[in-house]
């Protein structure tokens, strides 16, 4: 009987130990289970703080002038591309005048002038009353869309394309010519002619090569020879002239039909008046 009671005592102690261990395990499990949630929340908070920090940070500096790139693009479109399109020539991608070399081309194409003093961003539809503020918006909010991995900058060819002359809307006093700068720009210009219009690419390329030298390169001299863009530019007023002619034609038609209407109205009124006078004269005739 005594042995049996000892065995029951040991079984009870073993049961209590197991129960205590299981309770401790449950307590530890319950206290440790929220940790992953806290970890995930901490991770989300850190990600949010990193995103906020990136938004507050200044955009990376881009060593490419947007204004000069825009001036170079305008010169290419007005003084070169009409002649290239006339020859049906495709500018190679290796040419620095190719649209792919313009770092800001995609952003410039996402500009829209809704009306006077109303510029709209094509990415987020925000509006600005001046283009320069839209440019700052691009720099601050959409700089991540710029592919700065390649050394693409259309402003780098401004020296060859006379961008300073095109950007200078207000005439200033003529500065003294720098022979070294003129020689450097002419060398750059001739390099563009060779890479963009190789004479070995056929008659069209050969003609455009010669045209490019006359249009841009010959003016890089201090001797006062040719002027820039001596070969002419694109006719920008063709659409305006068409509009003016259309308005004048409509006005002439309006005047013509007004004259016809007034003439017919006058003839009809005159006929009625003559008829009335005739009838009144017959009534007054003595018997």
């Amino acid at each position: 009987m005594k042995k049996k009671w000892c065995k029951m005592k040991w079984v009870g102690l073993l049961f209590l130990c197991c129960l205590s261990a299981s309770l401790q395990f449950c307590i530890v499990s319950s206290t440790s289970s929220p940790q992953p949630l806290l970890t995930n929340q901490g991770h989300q908070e850190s990600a949010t703080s990193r995103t906020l920090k990136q938004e507050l940070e200044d955009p990376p500096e881009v060593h490419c002038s947007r204004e000069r790139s825009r001036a170079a693009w305008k010169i290419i479109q007005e003084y070169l591309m009409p002649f290239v399109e006339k020859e049906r020539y495709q500018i190679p991608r290796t040419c620095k005048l190719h649209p792919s070399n313009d770092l800001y081309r995609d952003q410039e194409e996402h500009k829209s002038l809704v009306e006077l003093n109303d510029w709209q961003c094509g990415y987020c539809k925000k509006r600005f009353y001046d283009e320069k503020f839209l440019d700052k918006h691009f720099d601050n909010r959409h700089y991540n869309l710029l592919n700065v991995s390649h050394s693409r900058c259309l402003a780098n060819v401004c020296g060859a394309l006379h961008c300073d002359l095109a950007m200078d809307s207000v005439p200033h006093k003529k500065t003294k010519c720098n022979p070294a700068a003129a020689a450097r720009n002419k060398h750059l210009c001739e390099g563009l002619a060779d890479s963009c219009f190789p004479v070995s690419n056929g008659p069209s390329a050969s003609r455009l090569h010669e045209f490019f030298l006359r249009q841009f390169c010959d003016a890089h001299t201090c001797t006062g020879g040719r002027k820039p863009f001596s070969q002419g530019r694109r006719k920008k007023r063709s659409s305006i002239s068409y509009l003016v002619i259309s308005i004048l034609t409509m006005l002439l038609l309006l005047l013509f039909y007004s004259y016809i209407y007034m003439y017919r109205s006058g003839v009809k009124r005159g006929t009625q008046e003559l008829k009335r006078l005739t009838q009144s004269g017959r009534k007054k005739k003595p018997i």
Side-chain angles (χ1 to χ4, degrees):
M1 187 71 181
K2 189 176 181 179
K3 292 181 178 180
K4 187 176 180 180
W5 183 83
C6 290
K7 287 182 179 179
M8 290 178 66
K9 183 179 179 180
W10 283 108
V11 170
L13 289 173
L14 183 62
F15 176 75
L16 289 174
C17 290
C18 293
L19 182 62
S20 176
S22 61
L23 288 173
Q24 289 181 0
F25 177 77
C26 291
I27 293 171
V28 171
S29 300
S30 62
T31 55
S32 61
S33 58
Q35 289 181 357
L37 179 60
L38 292 174
T39 304
N40 292 335
Q41 291 178 352
H43 178 71
Q44 292 177 357
E45 290 176 358
S46 61
T48 305
S49 62
R50 284 198 303 269
T51 304
L52 182 61
K53 184 178 179 181
Q54 288 177 357
E55 291 181 355
L56 294 176
E57 286 179 352
D58 293 332
E61 186 177 359
V62 179
H63 299 283
C64 182
S65 171
R66 183 189 293 272
E67 185 179 5
R68 292 178 69 80
S69 295
R70 186 185 299 133
W73 176 264
K74 183 178 179 181
I75 290 172
I76 293 170
Q77 295 303 310
E78 291 187 2
Y79 296 100
L80 177 62
M81 289 309 298
F83 303 94
V84 174
E85 293 170 358
K86 184 179 179 181
E87 292 285 349
R88 298 184 179 181
Y89 180 81
Q90 294 292 331
I91 296 179
R93 294 183 66 88
T94 55
C95 171
K96 292 183 179 180
L97 305 178
H98 193 274
S100 62
N101 189 52
D102 187 5
L103 178 65
Y104 302 105
R105 182 65 359 228
D106 185 70
Q107 289 187 351
E108 290 293 318
E109 290 176 353
H110 279 80
K111 286 181 179 179
S112 58
L113 182 60
V114 181
E115 56 186 19
L116 185 63
N117 296 328
D118 188 4
W119 291 85
Q120 186 177 45
C121 172
Y123 298 115
C124 60
K125 306 306 179 183
K126 287 186 177 180
R127 293 190 173 188
F128 305 86
Y129 68 88
D130 199 301
E131 187 180 11
K132 64 181 180 180
F133 296 111
L134 179 55
D135 290 340
K136 291 181 180 179
H137 170 74
F138 282 147
D139 293 336
N140 295 329
R141 295 295 180 183
H142 303 298
Y143 65 88
N144 57 321
L145 300 176
L146 295 177
N147 185 8
V148 295
S149 58
H150 304 287
S151 57
R152 301 181 303 142
C153 183
L154 200 60
N156 292 338
V157 298
C158 264
L161 300 180
H162 307 278
C163 289
D164 292 331
L165 183 64
M167 293 170 61
D168 202 359
S169 58
V170 180
H172 296 284
K173 291 183 179 180
K174 188 175 180 180
T175 58
K176 187 177 180 180
C177 180
N178 186 344
R184 183 170 59 252
N185 289 331
K186 186 170 186 177
H187 178 72
L188 174 61
C189 186
E190 292 173 347
L192 290 174
D194 294 337
S195 61
C196 300
F197 312 105
V199 293
S200 59
N201 282 7
S204 296
S206 181
R207 286 192 293 269
L208 288 172
H209 184 276
E210 185 67 19
F211 165 81
F212 193 86
L213 293 177
R214 304 289 83 80
Q215 181 81 318
F216 300 102
C217 303
D218 285 352
H220 290 297
T221 178
C222 293
T223 59
R226 287 178 177 267
K227 294 183 178 180
F229 321 128
S230 60
Q231 302 299 306
R233 61 185 296 175
R234 181 176 61 183
K235 303 296 183 182
K236 297 181 66 176
R237 299 186 179 274
S238 57
S239 58
I240 300 177
S241 300
Y242 177 78
L243 180 62
V244 171
I245 292 173
S246 301
I247 294 174
L248 289 175
T249 304
M250 292 178 64
L251 289 175
L252 289 174
L253 288 174
L254 181 62
L255 290 174
F256 174 75
Y257 284 112
S258 299
Y259 173 77
I260 295 296
Y261 173 77
M262 293 174 65
Y263 175 76
R264 289 183 176 179
S265 299
V267 170
K268 186 177 180 180
R269 191 180 300 112
T271 304
Q272 292 176 351
E273 184 70 18
L274 181 62
K275 186 177 180 180
R276 187 180 64 79
L277 291 174
T278 304
Q279 290 177 354
S280 63
R282 288 178 181 179
K283 290 180 180 180
K284 293 179 179 180
K285 188 176 180 180
I287 300 175

